[in-house]
Amino acid sequence: MTSKVTTMRDAVTKHVPDGASVALGCALEPAIPFAFAHELIRQRRRDLHLIGPISDIAFDQLIGAGCVAVVSAAWVGNVSAGLAHAYRRAMEQGIPRPIEVRDHSNFSIAQALLAGALGAPYLPTRSLLGSDIPRANGTFREASDPFSGDALLLIPAITPDVTAIAVQRADEDGNAHLWGPWGVSQEAALAARATIVIADEIVARSVIASDPNRTIVPGTKVTAVVHEPGACHPSPLQGRYRRDHEFFHQYHAATRTPEGFAAWIREWVSEVSDRRAYLAKLGARWGALRDDGVPAALALF
Amino acid sequence: MVAQAAREIRDGERVFVGMRLPLIAFVVAKRTHAPNAIGLFELGVVRDEPAPELLYTMGDNANVAGAVWCARTIDLMGMLQRGDVHAGFIGGAEIDVHGNLNTTAIGDRGHPKVQLPGSGGGADIASLAHRLIVIMPHDRRRLREKVDFVTSPGHGDGRGWRKRAGLPRGGPSVLITTLAVFRFVDGSAVLESAHPGVSVERIRNETGWPLAVAAALRETEPPSTEVLSIIRGYDPQGFWTRRGE
């Protein structure tokens, strides 16, 4: 078996071209691959189509950095601090550029990705009937159930060009263990043309095989594996490190103006060469967030 | 608000908890009158005990450790769509007299005056839960005759609308604000109680729709000392409970 392990820089260079549709932040608040988002910004990707349920501030950073043309999401904001300033500027003033938003709910984005994972053209739902979201999204269709005649909304499949998921551990082939809530991660990984697994730890295949129920995506569906400890800070990764609430609140305060946003991106993204340098910059703060490393119990099958 | 929200949870119910103040309302309910309530979190967590420490998001490690199920969003949303969820919590930037909520944008959707974060799971909870509990700061600019965008459908234009729209059930049952409690009767908000020290006149001035007042208007029951001590013990710094919400 050939190892798929590569660096974040190479994974983005090889697999994420300008204009790509990219799903990330698929576990909702935890396990958001900020290291991946920051590399997209450093490599000045343009015209991306971001796909995800809530993203916390990852989408805000990519939008503010001018990387994004389209967003398909249920929620773009800062979960514990409030509104997302860069998203607001893009939508209200076209700064740094206008973006197109296809409104979703968490259920509709989950269904769209599940349809993609199933190879189905769409999935029907009874959610969102009477909401303005279908009109604002523009891709849904109203229909009636051929069996009962009841009203339905059809959610077309989303098949991202690339899905990036962060996990606690994977082997070199990309067989990946994620624990904690999965959100829409599995659907997004299975629906994508290319899936990038970002692992806190690279382990032997036997570790994965000891507990295959924990595998979120099999290696055969994975394009590249990046070994990137701490890739999710300031979001949490269950059993490895906690959420850095204060970091989210500081970002909120620092990015109220375009100048403040630019300074923040310079400090935490552009002038930081990679994740290792980022963690070194966090210093003792990073150490304080680490869990004591209680490993998930090994299951012996 | 938190104490009243907790009262809306009945023992044994499955509750979609959501973000911010409802996280604390769930804790209060579990530790008082509803010890058998089950908390569902849309990122894929089910808990039969509240997290032991203050949560900033439903995805904090403390909300995952000790959970009875870690799953996918689609699993939790499927329960919601099936009708397995008794009640859900939701907040919003704007609400109208029929309980339609806007969390998407103030002004025109294409060229918003204020871009808000969006639905999250709110529109799904509003569409599919048996009962919706709404919590909002009371402000004339928020309690409006008509909202700019219906993110989360309430009772539409009134009685019978949800059925006509094809929604299987549900709708807002209660709106809890910083000043008062409204109950939805035939699809419209009726003032049920005013918080201690708040006059009906003040509520009328701070409400953007013609106020309907229940014949048996009363004062909102203040939180007991037990409930206050649970709230203060859980959120000692007042991160969520001292935002004037």
Side-chain angles (χ1 to χ4, degrees), chain A residues 3 8 13 32 62 70 81 94 102 130 135 167 180 207 216 231 258 284 292-293:
Chain A
S3 168
M8 188 67 84
T13 302
I32 301 170
L62 287 160
V70 183
R102 298 177 193 158
R135 181 170 53 75
V167 302
V207 175
I216 186 153
D292 289 334

Side-chain angles (χ1 to χ4, degrees), chain A residues 74-76 79-80 83 87 92 103 105-107 125-129 131-132 182-183 236 238 241 243 245 291, chain B residues 20 42-43 56-57 60-61 64 71 73 77 81 109 113-115 117 119-121 124 127 150-151 166-167 243:
Chain A
W75 198 94
V76 180
V79 174
S80 58
L83 302 179
Y87 178 50
E92 295 167 19
D103 286 334
S105 68
N106 282 342
F107 194 11
T125 187
R126 306 187 77 183
S127 193
L128 305 183
L129 295 165
S131 163
D132 287 335
W182 281 5
Q238 193 70 29
Y241 44 92
R243 189 174 188 268
H245 308 302
D291 279 336
Chain B
R20 306 188 173 191
E42 63 205 81
L43 80 173
Y56 288 73
T57 81
D60 291 1
N61 296 15
V64 177
T73 296
M77 288 296 179
Q81 183 163 254
R109 179 72 193 96
K113 198 157 67 178
V114 182
Q115 176 64 51
S119 159
D124 305 311
S127 297
V150 177
T151 311
L167 292 167
R243 295 189 158 201

